[in-house]
Amino acid sequence: MSTTQMLKGILNGCILAIIKNKEVYGYELAEKLESYGFQSFSEGTIYPLLMRMQKEELVTSTLKKSTAGPRRKYYSLTPKGEIELKKFKKQWDYLQTNVNRVLTNEVEKHS
Amino acid sequence: MQVELSQKSKSFLENLRVYLFSSGKKSDEIEEIIEELESHLIEAEQHGKPIEKIIGKSPKAYMEMVSNEMAIDFRTWFQYIVIIIFGAFSFSIFQDILAGTLSYSILEIIGHIAITGIFTFLIFLVFKYISSNDFSNMIQVVILSLIGLVPVGLFFGLHFLNKSVETPIIEFGQTGSLTIAAITLLLIIGISLWAKTGILIAIVTLLTLPEYLLGKTTLIQETQLILSTIISFGGIGLYLFISSILTKDR
């Protein structure tokens, strides 16, 4: 998946939504995104995004021991992150409705 | 249970560490992202995913992406440059003072500063370049040796230029030389305390003292030279070895 600004924004929103539901660590988050159909993206892409979100205080992280291998960093949403997620949802609804309206009227009418 | 990572993933993480380090990022933050990626790669490998699925087709592009999200740690950057520059200076100052009083031409002083600056800049540039490209060990060693030859060549050039071009010479005399030596010593101690490392003191001592002390003995010149080289580089090697063990234990 190419990471243009728009896609990055959408991926950001999806990450916030997944983290809100449950505290997750990186690998888990990537698997979740894949299970929702984001198949072709490089999993590592989420880390720069998470770093940015952490800097903007949308998420926080805690290190926890794991049974195998090194410690895992678990992410959870901050109050500021919740607000950002709500904003994203609103923007997405607005975009989706309008784009769908354009597509049904303009494409389907003429085909 | 400790899981072993594939060689490819291991070398990617090592390259990422060097890349971020030479990009001047904070070492705590570097270790944090390395640990996180390591854990991701271990789990991905257990599920049979190739490393490309994690970092994409271009490791370099991925390293840049990570690097862009990290703040530059100017304090540490500055620290390394100061250590390298003062290390180079104090080394030549101590060597000269043990041989007699200090006297430098303007050209020598400016040349030394310029060469040290160029070398420091090159080292950081080359580390970043090597770590983001997939070179074999052989090529890496060749590149680093070539870079190591740059200051040698430049100092050689400076030496001859200094002989053919006349610039005013500053004579420091007995008192002046001792004052400079004392200031240099204080600076070295100060820098070592500030940077919390004994490496500068160890290297300067090991490079200058053996040669000086052996000069006082009645051994023939060649034996002195060989012995001082062995003691200097053996000592530095030993110092680095011991300090790396101590760091690991912490």
Side-chain angles (χ1 to χ4, degrees):
Chain A
M1 183 165 73
S2 73
T3 36
T4 56
Q5 276 326 101
M6 192 170 82
L7 272 173
K8 246 188 198 170
I10 293 172
L11 203 54
N12 262 325
C14 294
I15 291 175
L16 287 174
I18 293 172
I19 295 177
K20 178 187 162 59
N21 208 28
K22 185 179 159 270
E23 208 186 27
V24 288
Y25 66 96
Y27 187 80
E28 217 180 349
L29 179 61
E31 290 265 275
K32 271 258 173 69
L33 281 169
E34 272 159 38
S35 74
Y36 283 117
F38 289 105
Q39 293 285 349
S40 59
F41 82 114
S42 316
E43 292 176 7
T45 323
I46 60 172
Y47 293 106
L49 297 177
L50 285 168
M51 283 163 115
R52 169 74 61 87
M53 286 187 221
Q54 199 160 12
K55 232 186 306 177
E56 289 172 357
E57 295 174 343
L58 304 177
V59 299
T60 52
S61 65
T62 41
L63 284 169
K64 288 182 189 172
K65 271 189 193 140
S66 81
T67 43
R71 295 174 300 175
R72 284 173 182 162
K73 202 171 174 187
Y74 281 83
Y75 293 90
S76 52
L77 219 56
T78 63
K80 208 174 158 191
E82 302 232 9
I83 295 171
E84 188 66 26
L85 176 59
K86 275 191 192 131
K87 242 195 259 170
F88 170 75
K89 244 190 118 221
K90 224 186 235 167
Q91 277 171 344
W92 179 248
D93 283 342
Y94 170 81
L95 261 178
Q96 198 195 25
T97 323
N98 293 347
V99 172
N100 278 340
R101 222 179 274 154
V102 171
L103 292 181
T104 17
N105 280 311
E106 298 297 327
V107 182
E108 289 180 12
K109 215 165 43 179
H110 299 288
S111 56
Chain B
M1 182 182 72
Q2 195 60 44
V3 193
E4 268 298 299
L5 210 50
S6 74
Q7 203 49 50
K8 210 173 164 190
S9 296
K10 264 190 202 158
S11 74
F12 167 74
L13 290 175
E14 211 34 66
N15 284 336
L16 179 64
R17 180 180 278 127
V18 176
Y19 183 86
L20 294 175
F21 173 76
S22 46
S23 305
K25 310 295 180 180
K26 270 202 180 93
S27 51
D28 296 358
E29 278 182 39
I30 295 176
E31 289 315 314
E32 223 177 297
I33 183 68
I34 298 272
E35 187 178 10
E36 198 171 19
L37 277 172
E38 186 187 9
S39 124
H40 192 122
L41 285 167
I42 288 177
E43 207 159 341
E45 281 182 1
Q46 283 169 341
H47 291 89
K49 290 178 190 167
I51 187 168
E52 288 79 14
K53 178 76 188 111
I54 319 303
I55 60 164
K57 285 198 188 72
S58 159
K60 187 174 184 213
Y62 186 69
M63 287 184 200
E64 266 170 28
M65 220 161 84
V66 172
S67 175
N68 283 339
E69 293 305 328
M70 295 168 82
I72 289 180
D73 180 13
F74 286 106
R75 191 177 178 273
T76 311
W77 233 91
F78 185 63
Q79 214 166 349
Y80 286 117
I81 292 176
V82 169
I83 289 177
I84 295 174
I85 291 180
F86 270 100
F89 279 118
S90 51
F91 163 57
S92 51
I93 286 173
F94 280 128
Q95 208 176 30
D96 293 345
I97 208 154
L98 291 174
T101 56
L102 297 175
S103 74
Y104 298 113
S105 73
I106 301 275
L107 184 69
E108 262 181 310
I109 295 173
I110 294 173
H112 264 80
I113 296 174
I115 293 172
T116 318
I118 293 170
F119 183 57
T120 314
F121 178 72
L122 270 179
I123 282 286
F124 276 91
L125 209 67
V126 163
F127 272 162
K128 215 169 146 175
Y129 177 66
I130 287 184
S131 57
S132 62
N133 285 284
D134 215 3
F135 293 130
S136 67
N137 282 342
M138 179 67 178
I139 293 175
Q140 290 186 20
V141 169
V142 171
I143 295 176
L144 285 174
S145 325
L146 286 176
I147 293 301
L149 284 178
V150 170
V152 177
L154 287 174
F155 275 120
F156 204 64
L158 181 66
H159 184 71
F160 280 99
L161 195 65
N162 197 39
K163 279 192 174 160
S164 55
V165 182
E166 289 254 349
T167 50
I169 290 175
I170 306 176
E171 292 274 358
F172 289 99
Q174 190 76 42
T175 336
S177 301
L178 284 175
T179 316
I180 289 181
I183 291 173
T184 315
L185 190 66
L186 281 177
L187 273 174
I188 291 180
I189 294 171
I191 290 170
S192 301
L193 288 174
W194 170 56
K196 296 192 189 72
T197 170
I199 190 157
L200 201 53
I201 295 176
I203 287 183
V204 171
T205 313
L206 283 165
L207 281 179
T208 51
L209 213 56
E211 197 184 320
Y212 173 72
L213 291 178
L214 284 166
K216 301 243 165 211
T217 62
T218 49
L219 293 168
I220 51 165
Q221 197 88 49
E222 282 80 15
T223 323
Q224 282 185 21
L225 198 68
I226 293 167
L227 271 180
S228 76
T229 312
I230 292 174
I231 296 173
S232 294
F233 289 97
I236 290 172
L238 196 69
Y239 174 82
L240 292 176
F241 178 69
I242 292 172
S243 65
S244 85
I245 287 177
L246 290 177
T247 329
K248 253 182 209 155
D249 280 348
R250 245 189 299 159

